[in-house]
Amino acid sequence: MDIIVCIKRVPQTAEAKVEIESSGKDIVKDRLTFDINESDTYALEEAVLLKEKFGGTITVISLGCSDADDTLRIALAKGADTAIRIKAEDFDELDGYKTAQLLSAVIKDIHFDVIFTGCIATDDAYSQIGATLAELLGIPHATLVTNIEVIDSISHVHRELEGGLQEHIEIFLPALFTIQTGINVPRYASLIAIKRAAGKEIKLVGQNEISKDQLLLNTQIEELFIPPVAKQVKIITGSPGEVSEELAGIIREKGLI
Amino acid sequence: MTNKRSLVDVINPEIRDFLVEMGAEDIYKCYQCGKCSSICPWFQVGTYDFPIFRLSLETALGMVASSEDKKELEEEVDKLYRCVGCEACVDQCPHGINIPNILRAARRLLVDFGSYPDILKSIVQKIHDVGNPLGEEREKRSDWAKQLNVPNFQPGIEYLYFACCIPSYDPRVQNVAQATVRILQKSGCSFGILGVQENCCGEAIRRIGAEKVFKEVTKANISSFESAGVEKILVTSPHCYTSFKNDYPEFGANFEVFHITQYFSGLIEKGKIQPIKRFDKKVVYHDPCNLGRQNGIYEEPRNILRNIPGLELLEVENFNRSLSVCCGAGSGALWMEWEKDERIGDIRINQLVDTGAEIIAVACPYCLQMFEETIKSMELNIEVMDVAEILWESIG
Ligand code: SF4
Ligand code: SF4
């Protein structure tokens, strides 16, 4: 079974103080660390589990600048056989649609049975790539996959719906799945695999291989901003008389009575 | 390492060379005597198999964290993160082999490839992003000192007091930093703090294997210390002491570093502070690994305690000073969760409780946190105090 996994290197912002850069269209990234997107690690692990069961190959693809090579190398150490980086620096501004076009331009020349992506990127949260890429390649897809079993070219897939519901669907391969976190337990890389990955070549694809002419940008970021604090908490202190007087004043002022 | 695979299959000189390159060069000195294993706290725990003497050999054979089986590899990585960096083994090894350093070589590779426990990943991330392992806001780093009138460090001030992350933020341990400051003020010491310009010293993350982030925080600290004109540093944590004194010089730093117990002991000797109030308690002193074994500071904390009227100082016979057993919190282990019967802290607490003490005196914020947690989980009736807290009670 030949599997393709699309991965993305994203800034880690859970603990960091996020600031908007002067263009107003991106965040300041120079103080941030980067890592593989969370749901992509589960997508990669799902690929490795399928490969362990059925044999075949895993190709990881990432659209990114040279730093993304580190992320691809981690994927190689965790079980991928081949890594391809689409040189983001060659393709100017990007959005979900253009990213999917670039991925499909590379993937159309590779044999595959399954494509995995993470269900959402933690940086832009578009959740577009999987479905758009499947459409561009003309293959079926399922999103938010929490379980997958392949029997004779048919995949039995569980999807996570709102309210704790699960949907069970069957899809003929080749197909694309966007993987939800928690579907498996991602593995560590062994030192042997790390050593092997360190010496592996990462194939680069740029504007010489993909014509920029037909690439379309569907969306443009107008502005990125930190929302103003919507609710404010005011703690009123003082004697019960003072507190109730101030409280009554606020209620009156806001026109609530 | 399981013995399911044949030895010939798993010998891997490339991995050995890779690890030697990362700092495991001591492996060739090991002659497998096993002394390290007999002193390792895991030997006393007894329920977790950690034959550390085999590690040099396994490294020399390139067999560390090398299984390609997911489950086996998980166990091997878990094993690498069991070492609490107490250096009891280093102290005992006839050839002076630094086993935690050998382990760290493998940890560094695993960290670079995102292959280490998630909880430690989040600690490294927090230290990188906000400068402390608790994930607290950088702006609040000096909140503990708000009521105390501590000046910001500036040229002309003699000492930088570096409180360490845990006393800066943890509501219980803040009391240690506050007691320290009160004693310093009483003695007339010229000192200031750097507050928001401080980062975690990085000692734990270097030992976790996150060398790149360690270097980043180290360079940031060195530059803010130097640009503020810092020459002498007083520290509460023996881990900061190790960092500033032993690790930072690798990056060109040249600060004079004093553990607060050294400084306080000196103040008592010079008569600048006088513990006069009685402290009628039986107190056992626990030697923190980083203070005692790793930096040779055994006498000064004891000297402080001996000078406190009414205090009866107890010792853990056979397991004190260089033979002190780790509290179980070093090298990132403070944040790790192990099975109930696999905890080094439990062993040490029992030794301390068995002395009949009412109070465990510590001189390290990690030991303080670890012991308080352990006491809670074991439902014991003993209190933990930092030496500075006891001293302040006797002075204040
Ligand atoms: S004590 Fe030193 S020489 Fe003896 S087995 Fe341990 S590391 Fe090797
Ligand atoms: S440093 Fe301590 S825990 Fe680590 S191997 Fe040596 S004795 Fe054991």
Side-chain angles (χ1 to χ4, degrees):
Chain A
M1 179 168 301
D2 292 332
I3 307 161
I4 291 172
V5 187
C6 304
I7 62 173
K8 185 178 189 184
R9 181 175 183 270
V10 293
Q12 302 297 297
T13 50
E15 303 292 344
K17 193 164 180 186
V18 176
E19 287 165 18
I20 310 288
E21 72 166 29
S22 57
S23 70
K25 300 196 175 185
D26 206 346
I27 57 168
V28 181
K29 291 183 183 144
D30 53 356
R31 280 273 313 134
L32 299 175
T33 55
F34 287 75
D35 202 350
I36 180 169
N37 176 49
E38 192 189 6
S39 54
D40 298 356
T41 63
Y42 292 88
L44 176 64
E45 178 64 24
E46 208 51 30
V48 178
L49 293 171
L50 276 192
K51 183 183 144 185
E52 280 179 349
K53 202 161 171 192
F54 297 106
T57 61
I58 299 172
T59 304
V60 277
I61 308 179
S62 187
L63 169 63
C65 295
S66 58
D67 297 342
D69 288 351
D70 292 345
T71 312
L72 285 165
R73 228 172 268 292
I74 292 176
L76 287 170
K78 291 193 177 177
D81 303 282
T82 318
I84 302 171
R85 176 167 66 84
I86 307 174
K87 292 156 74 181
E89 61 272 29
D90 279 10
F91 297 101
D92 316 313
E93 214 173 319
L94 294 164
D95 67 354
Y97 184 53
K98 191 165 160 187
T99 303
Q101 290 171 85
L102 285 165
L103 289 168
S104 87
V106 173
I107 292 172
K108 69 176 173 29
D109 297 327
I110 307 173
H111 174 264
F112 67 88
D113 302 288
V114 173
I115 301 175
F116 287 132
T117 69
C119 64
I120 189 168
T122 52
D123 56 351
D124 57 30
Y126 287 153
S127 279
Q128 272 182 25
I129 309 298
T132 314
L133 177 59
E135 284 305 307
L136 290 173
L137 292 167
I139 56 169
H141 76 270
T143 54
L144 293 166
V145 170
T146 53
N147 190 45
I148 180 163
E149 205 180 331
V150 178
I151 304 165
D152 299 334
S153 278
I154 299 173
S155 56
H156 300 262
V157 169
H158 289 186
R159 297 184 59 238
E160 183 179 278
L161 305 181
E162 284 295 316
L165 278 181
Q166 294 268 333
E167 181 182 71
H168 177 179
I169 51 175
E170 292 179 7
I171 299 185
F172 281 104
L173 301 184
L176 182 146
F177 305 101
T178 82
I179 301 296
Q180 176 64 294
T181 55
I183 184 174
N184 52 43
V185 181
R187 70 191 57 209
Y188 293 139
S190 76
L191 293 188
I192 289 175
I194 289 173
K195 176 77 192 162
R196 229 182 271 138
K200 267 196 184 162
E201 186 206 358
I202 290 170
K203 190 178 161 201
L204 299 179
V205 178
Q207 54 189 343
N208 296 336
E209 292 78 19
I210 305 172
S211 156
K212 286 165 80 170
D213 302 344
Q214 277 130 36
L215 296 172
L216 290 175
L217 202 63
N218 259 357
T219 47
Q220 256 178 322
I221 296 174
E222 281 298 312
E223 189 194 0
L224 211 58
F225 62 95
I226 294 167
V229 182
K231 284 182 188 155
Q232 275 183 342
V233 176
K234 185 175 166 67
I235 311 245
I236 306 172
T237 52
S239 68
E242 288 161 355
V243 170
S244 45
E245 196 171 313
E246 194 177 342
L247 186 60
I250 294 171
I251 293 172
R252 223 175 287 127
E253 191 185 303
K254 303 239 177 236
L256 299 173
I257 44 169
Chain B
M1 183 66 43
T2 68
N3 48 17
K4 277 185 224 140
R5 286 164 289 153
S6 116
L7 197 58
V8 181
D9 286 344
V10 289
I11 291 179
N12 191 326
E14 272 183 292
I15 299 297
R16 175 197 59 210
D17 297 346
F18 208 14
L19 290 170
V20 168
E21 232 174 81
M22 298 301 272
E25 61 276 355
D26 270 7
I27 47 171
Y28 298 117
K29 292 196 237 156
C30 174
Y31 63 172
Q32 293 289 290
C33 69
K35 260 191 110 182
C36 48
S37 283
S38 63
I39 193 76
C40 177
W42 284 108
F43 182 71
Q44 295 198 45
V45 171
T47 49
Y48 178 77
D49 187 29
F50 193 60
I52 198 67
F53 73 99
R54 285 220 300 260
L55 197 101
S56 313
L57 182 64
E58 286 176 0
T59 307
L61 296 173
M63 288 165 60
V64 180
S66 57
S67 172
E68 300 223 54
D69 176 83
K70 186 174 170 180
K71 195 87 209 106
E72 250 177 47
L73 178 63
E74 248 167 56
E75 285 163 13
E76 290 177 7
V77 172
D78 174 65
K79 185 153 279 190
L80 284 176
Y81 279 94
R82 291 280 174 150
C83 169
V84 292
C86 69
E87 297 196 7
C89 55
V90 184
D91 194 55
Q92 291 293 316
C93 173
H95 286 184
I97 295 171
N98 193 315
I99 289 184
N101 264 359
I102 296 175
L103 287 160
R104 207 189 306 167
R107 287 181 178 193
R108 280 172 62 176
L109 286 167
L110 292 168
V111 167
D112 283 351
F113 279 75
S115 297
Y116 66 118
D118 282 345
I119 179 68
L120 298 182
K121 254 188 217 174
S122 94
I123 297 294
V124 173
Q125 192 70 49
K126 286 173 187 165
I127 290 179
H128 177 275
D129 289 348
V130 287
N132 68 80
L134 298 92
E136 294 285 348
E137 285 175 49
R138 200 179 278 278
E139 289 68 25
K140 295 188 175 159
R141 193 168 178 107
S142 53
D143 280 8
W144 63 271
K146 259 187 183 161
Q147 317 296 332
L148 293 169
N149 254 330
V150 185
N152 268 341
F153 187 91
Q154 49 189 306
I157 289 182
E158 190 176 2
Y159 292 98
L160 166 70
Y161 171 52
F162 189 90
C164 159
C165 301
I166 296 177
S168 295
Y169 293 107
D170 182 279
R172 156 68 185 95
V173 195
Q174 279 178 342
N175 192 54
V176 177
Q178 288 158 349
T180 303
V181 158
R182 290 196 170 101
I183 302 168
L184 290 173
Q185 285 171 334
K186 189 122 190 171
S187 73
C189 170
S190 151
F191 74 100
I193 57 172
L194 276 176
V196 293
Q197 289 163 53
E198 294 172 5
N199 279 292
C200 171
C201 71
E203 190 266 353
I205 54 172
R206 179 171 232 196
R207 279 140 192 88
I208 285 168
E211 187 71 8
K212 288 181 191 143
V213 177
F214 167 74
K215 282 185 180 155
E216 248 182 79
V217 294
T218 295
K219 286 178 187 158
N221 273 338
I222 293 176
S223 115
S224 52
F225 293 176
E226 282 177 349
S227 55
V230 172
E231 286 172 3
K232 297 179 184 175
I233 312 176
L234 291 171
V235 294
T236 277
S237 170
H239 296 266
C240 305
Y241 185 88
T242 295
S243 262
F244 298 156
K245 198 172 169 78
N246 307 337
D247 290 349
Y248 281 28
E250 283 173 42
F251 304 91
N254 185 23
F255 305 112
E256 249 186 285
V257 191
F258 305 88
H259 187 258
I260 202 70
T261 56
Q262 293 179 296
Y263 188 73
F264 286 161
S265 175
L267 289 180
I268 294 173
E269 293 303 314
K270 290 183 209 128
K272 292 209 172 159
I273 48 171
Q274 278 152 355
I276 41 171
K277 290 191 194 158
R278 291 189 66 81
F279 192 84
D280 290 308
K281 301 263 183 192
K282 288 184 194 162
V283 177
V284 60
Y285 176 66
H286 160 81
D287 288 280
C289 308
N290 272 63
L291 197 63
R293 206 159 32 234
Q294 295 180 25
N295 286 299
I297 303 172
Y298 298 112
E299 253 354 284
E300 293 89 333
R302 287 181 169 82
N303 189 40
I304 297 169
L305 296 171
R306 271 192 220 107
N307 271 284
I308 294 175
L311 185 151
E312 184 184 341
L313 180 60
L314 303 174
E315 295 281 349
V316 185
E317 291 302 326
N318 303 322
F319 294 107
N320 61 356
R321 298 176 182 263
S322 68
L323 296 175
S324 174
V325 177
C326 183
C327 70
S331 291
L334 177 64
W335 300 287
M336 297 287 286
E337 199 52 63
W338 290 312
E339 294 295 326
K340 186 86 188 74
D341 63 344
E342 291 178 4
R343 293 182 190 161
I344 293 173
D346 293 10
I347 302 293
R348 184 55 176 171
I349 276 287
N350 281 331
Q351 292 175 344
L352 292 158
V353 168
D354 286 349
T355 61
E358 297 156 277
I359 289 175
I360 300 169
V362 294
C364 169
Y366 285 178
C367 298
L368 178 59
Q369 274 209 320
M370 195 68 186
F371 286 148
E372 288 201 335
E373 287 301 312
T374 307
I375 287 167
K376 248 186 258 159
S377 79
M378 293 174 77
E379 296 177 7
L380 295 170
N381 184 23
I382 191 164
E383 210 184 318
V384 191
M385 289 177 83
D386 192 277
V387 171
E389 292 177 300
I390 300 176
L391 178 60
W392 175 243
E393 289 214 1
S394 178
I395 295 174

